[in-house]
């Protein structure tokens, strides 16, 4: 082995004489992995779409429930508030029944809404 | 999921793999100290990543340089995931060759000396000489400033020369 190497010799040695590597099935292996990767990504896209659809459905159901709760409170209030404003001894049995129904509707709507929010 | 579909169809990509597989595998064999199995695994990973991100290839570098960069990053990611990185015998591949000529012995010495260099210097010399990249291309592949690459190359060559001189029988 020489004691010293000039730049050109050293660089030539570092460059070496690597022969081109034969494919030996490498390319086929890569393409199999690429196809598997594509299939996995496609499946992930489908999963994500399905998850988004589920979330959309859940949000729509929650919106419908909130609307019904709002209607419950409005109807209950419309029934109960005028009667509560009246003097209690002057209520006849039908009015008492309407008052109780209105209060029950309000309680149901508020309770259901509170449960849903929790 | 968010990546756009690659604009290159599979047959075109297969041709690209066929054209560049040898160089990318050679690069990784050198980086992994001659571990052929690991190098081929990383090369496969490199091409899968290239397929996924081919839309981001801007065309302002050679395809080979772009692939070398992906391969180098795959190698670094592998290194980070390995807690106990044990360098293999750098001259394993050469030692196994039946060619016992003086040139082969000399190259074996260079490979062994190269394996003893600090990582940055070894990597710089591999990319500039073994892979025959220009300094600018090697800096691009390694993600280093050009000046840093040049100083690693100069220091690496000086250190390599010292080590080879010290081994004189």
């Amino acid at each position: 082995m020489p004691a010293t190497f000039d730049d050109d010799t050293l660089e030539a040695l570092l460059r070496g004489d690597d022969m081109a590597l034969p494919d030996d099935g490498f390319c086929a292996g890569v393409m199999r992995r690429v196809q598997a990767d594509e299939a996995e990504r496609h499946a992930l896209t489908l999963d994500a779409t399905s998850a988004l659809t589920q979330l959309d459905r859940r949000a729509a159901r929650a919106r419908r429930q909130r609307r019904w709760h709002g209607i419950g409170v409005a109807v209950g209030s419309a029934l109960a508030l005028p009667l509560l404003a009246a003097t209690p001894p002057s209520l006849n049995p039908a009015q008492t029944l309407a008052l109780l129904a209105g209060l029950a509707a309000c309680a149901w709507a508020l309770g259901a809404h509170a449960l849903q929010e929790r | 999921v968010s990546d756009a579909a690659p604009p290159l169809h599979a047959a075109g990509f297969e041709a690209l793999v066929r054209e560049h597989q040898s160089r990318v595998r050679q690069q990784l064999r050198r980086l992994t100290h001659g571990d052929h199995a690991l190098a081929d695994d990383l090369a496969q990973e490199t091409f899968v990543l290239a397929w996924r991100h081919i839309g981001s290839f801007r065309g302002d570098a050679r395809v080979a340089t772009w692939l070398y960069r992906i391969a180098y990053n795959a190698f670094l990611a592998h290194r980070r995931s390995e807690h106990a990185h044990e360098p293999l015998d750098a001259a394993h591949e050469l030692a196994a060759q039946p060619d016992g000529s003086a040139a082969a012995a000399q190259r074996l010495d260079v490979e062994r000396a190269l394996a003893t260099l600090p990582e940055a210097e070894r990597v710089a010399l591999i990319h500039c000489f073994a892979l025959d990249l220009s300094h600018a291309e090697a800096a691009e592949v390694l993600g280093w400033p050009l000046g840093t690459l040049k100083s690693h190359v100069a220091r690496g060559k000086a250190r390599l020369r010292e080590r080879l001189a010290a081994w004189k029988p």
Side-chain angles (χ1 to χ4, degrees), chain A residues 49-66 116:
Chain A
T49 309
S50 145
L52 283 174
T53 309
Q54 274 189 359
L55 285 175
D56 279 348
R57 280 189 194 143
R58 207 172 295 168
R61 194 167 58 233
R63 272 197 305 275
R64 276 199 305 276
Q65 283 174 345
R66 272 198 299 276
Q116 188 192 25

Side-chain angles (χ1 to χ4, degrees), chain A residues 1-7 9-11 13-31 33-35 37-38 41 44-45 48, chain B residues 1 3 6 10 13-14 17-18 21-22 25-26 29-30 40-41 43-45 47-48 51-52 106-107 109-110 114 129-130 132 157 160-161 164-165 167-168:
Chain A
M1 181 167 55
T4 56
F5 290 92
D6 60 39
D7 251 24
T9 312
L10 192 67
E11 288 176 14
L13 283 168
L14 283 167
R15 280 197 177 90
D17 52 359
D18 287 338
M19 304 289 286
L21 294 174
D23 184 293
D24 284 342
F26 177 83
C27 191
V30 168
M31 293 316 291
R33 277 192 61 179
V34 162
Q35 279 160 9
D37 185 66
E38 279 298 292
R41 289 205 297 166
L44 279 174
T45 308
Chain B
V1 173
D3 280 343
F13 185 73
E14 192 169 351
V17 176
R18 216 175 287 287
Q21 58 89 17
S22 177
R25 288 163 73 201
Q26 295 278 22
R29 282 182 182 196
R30 286 184 175 269
D40 279 5
D41 278 353
Q44 282 206 354
E45 182 69 28
F47 284 108
V48 172
W51 167 259
R52 263 185 223 165
Q106 203 170 47
R107 196 173 155 217
D109 284 346
V110 172
L114 194 59
F129 301 110
D132 213 14
K157 276 163 73 173
L160 196 60
R161 206 175 276 118
L164 287 169
W167 287 356
K168 186 189 172 192

Side-chain angles (χ1 to χ4, degrees), chain A residues 63-115:
Chain A
R63 272 197 305 275
R64 276 199 305 276
Q65 283 174 345
R66 272 198 299 276
R67 194 162 51 235
W68 279 111
H69 296 161
I71 290 170
V73 171
V75 169
S77 305
L79 284 172
L81 288 178
L83 296 170
L84 280 174
T87 317
S90 68
L91 293 178
N92 60 35
Q95 287 173 319
T96 307
L97 198 62
L99 175 63
L100 289 174
L103 288 173
C106 270
W108 167 78
L110 290 172
H113 189 68
L115 279 176

Side-chain angles (χ1 to χ4, degrees), chain B residues 15-56:
Chain B
L16 182 142
V17 176
R18 216 175 287 287
E19 188 182 336
H20 294 281
Q21 58 89 17
S22 177
R23 277 184 285 189
V24 170
R25 288 163 73 201
Q26 295 278 22
Q27 174 200 22
L28 287 161
R29 282 182 182 196
R30 286 184 175 269
L31 288 172
T32 58
H33 297 269
D35 185 336
H36 293 191
L38 174 59
D40 279 5
D41 278 353
L42 291 175
Q44 282 206 354
E45 182 69 28
T46 298
F47 284 108
V48 172
L49 288 171
W51 167 259
R52 263 185 223 165
H53 300 291
I54 201 152
S56 69

